[in-house]
Amino acid sequence: MASPEEFEAAAARSKELPAKPDNTTLLKLYALYKQGSEGDISGDRPGGFDFKAIAKYDAWAGLRGKSQEEARQEYVDFVNSLF
């Protein structure tokens, strides 16, 4: 499993990607980072026309039940695969 230091290093490295990832990749990065750093999502799903917030919520909620350690390792592996 990835250590918290490896996780944060991958987060910093993700900001140095050679090209801007597509929206699907960005949502996966966001969801894995949030699950790895905070655990399961809490709170209500955004409503209205804030489609960006809804997409982010849904992506994170899709990882509900995945352990933080598992999410951190998956995040590190995913960031590394983008290079």
Side-chain angles (χ1 to χ4, degrees), residues 33-62:
Y33 182 82
K34 294 297 274 186
Q35 188 72 16
S37 61
E38 298 181 30
D40 286 345
I41 193 168
S42 60
D44 296 329
R45 185 176 189 256
F49 295 101
D50 191 351
F51 300 115
K52 184 177 178 180
I54 291 169
K56 290 169 85 173
Y57 181 94
D58 289 347
W60 186 6

Side-chain angles (χ1 to χ4, degrees), residues 14-82:
S14 73
K15 293 170 177 49
E16 301 168 359
L17 292 171
K20 184 179 181 202
D22 61 29
N23 287 340
T24 303
T25 301
L26 288 172
L27 282 172
K28 184 173 180 177
L29 285 168
Y30 171 81
L32 285 169
Y33 182 82
K34 294 297 274 186
Q35 188 72 16
S37 61
E38 298 181 30
D40 286 345
I41 193 168
S42 60
D44 296 329
R45 185 176 189 256
F49 295 101
D50 191 351
F51 300 115
K52 184 177 178 180
I54 291 169
K56 290 169 85 173
Y57 181 94
D58 289 347
W60 186 6
L63 298 178
R64 187 175 279 131
K66 184 181 293 268
S67 73
Q68 285 183 269
E69 294 79 18
E70 225 181 330
R72 281 196 292 263
Q73 183 63 55
E74 199 172 324
Y75 181 83
V76 169
D77 293 343
F78 188 53
V79 168
N80 289 338
S81 77
L82 296 174

